[in-house]
Amino acid sequence: MTARILDGKAISQQIQQELALEVVRLREQTGVTPKLVAVLTGDDPASQVYVRNKERACQRVGMQGVVHRLPAETSQAELLALVGKLNADAAVHGILVQLPLPRGLDATPILDGIDPAKDVDCFHPQNVGLLAQGRPRFLPCTPHGVQQILFRSGLPTAGKRVVIVGRSDIVGKPLALLLAARTSPFGPEYANATVTLAHSRTPELAEVTRGAEIVVAAAGQPELVTGEMLTPGATVIDVGVNRVGDKLVGDVEFASASRVAGAITPVPGGVGPLTIAMLLGNTLTAARLAAGL
Ligand code: GUN
């Protein structure tokens, strides 16, 4: 068997076209243009690329995208002060502090300092709590992107066994909440999964993943999930982005997995492009909420 390739780039472009229309509609209704501010501290090369991509994506859909670039020597107090200034600026709808922060800076108090109504990453404890209770304000970008790929590929999750490999606060944990929920923005067919949250200390990981109809790899370990860990026909979603030498590889060994899976996302061009589209969607949501819509 050769797996169907799930083209995240094409799905993301489709969503961005839809968002562009909604941005025009919001402007006509309210005069407001959604504005996202990203804060980039230090000179991590990957972060520089990510932030530039976010800025460009904003412009593509007609939103304002602004990047504040701060030196690696920035103090905790200076970064907190910038967040406070952005919180107070009514023209700013979304604030994103790019991670990882340089050594010496503590991310938690900075992220906790973002106004929850502008927290388009959905990292603030208030937004995580609302999500856990099934009444989200924002949806976390990468987990929502995974759900979008499944929905737009016609791969429902209700009644399915989903194994998520990786328990991070950014992907694994919130994705488990989304897929185990009673319903989703796409209706109940794209929630109601039986979710197993596996991780680096899960014994017999291959046995666990072999029991799944949908496997999501989000452990941050290059090519951790191989074809022999899958049941034939499984859907495989690869959230990993690992630089190995000069190559970008996922958390799935694509060559072996794509011979066993029924459908699979590539790296690059799978989940990554969706994360940005979902960030734009949250910025639109934040602008709408700020306008009282
Ligand atoms: N660094 C890598 N991914 C992310 C993300 O989704 N949000 C933020 N703020 N930083 C990141």
Side-chain angles (χ1 to χ4, degrees), residues 90-138:
V92 175
H93 305 106
I95 303 169
L96 178 149
V97 174
Q98 185 68 26
L99 302 177
L101 290 176
R103 208 191 297 255
L105 290 174
D106 182 1
T108 305
I110 307 284
L111 299 177
D112 288 359
I114 295 174
D115 178 348
K118 301 189 180 187
D119 169 40
V120 287
D121 263 328
C122 197
F123 289 171
H124 192 284
Q126 185 187 104
N127 288 323
V128 177
L130 290 170
L131 174 71
Q133 291 185 346
R135 50 188 187 127
R137 175 192 276 134
F138 298 115

Side-chain angles (χ1 to χ4, degrees), residues 43-62:
D43 36 38
D44 178 65
S47 290
Q48 289 182 15
V49 174
Y50 291 149
V51 165
R52 200 171 320 120
N53 287 343
K54 288 168 186 172
E55 188 180 17
R56 286 201 191 127
C58 280
Q59 289 155 4
R60 265 202 307 276
V61 300

Side-chain angles (χ1 to χ4, degrees), residues 12 78 85 130 170 175 199 206 221 256-257 293:
S12 176
E78 285 169 325
K85 212 178 86 186
L130 290 170
I170 298 188
L175 181 60
H199 49 75
Q221 271 195 56
S256 65
L293 296 177

Side-chain angles (χ1 to χ4, degrees), residues 7 16 39 47 70 79 103 126 147 229-230 260 269 271:
D7 184 348
Q16 288 181 52
V39 179
S47 290
L70 301 176
L79 194 48
R103 208 191 297 255
Q126 185 187 104
Q147 220 173 15
M229 295 168 68
L230 302 170
V260 183
V271 175

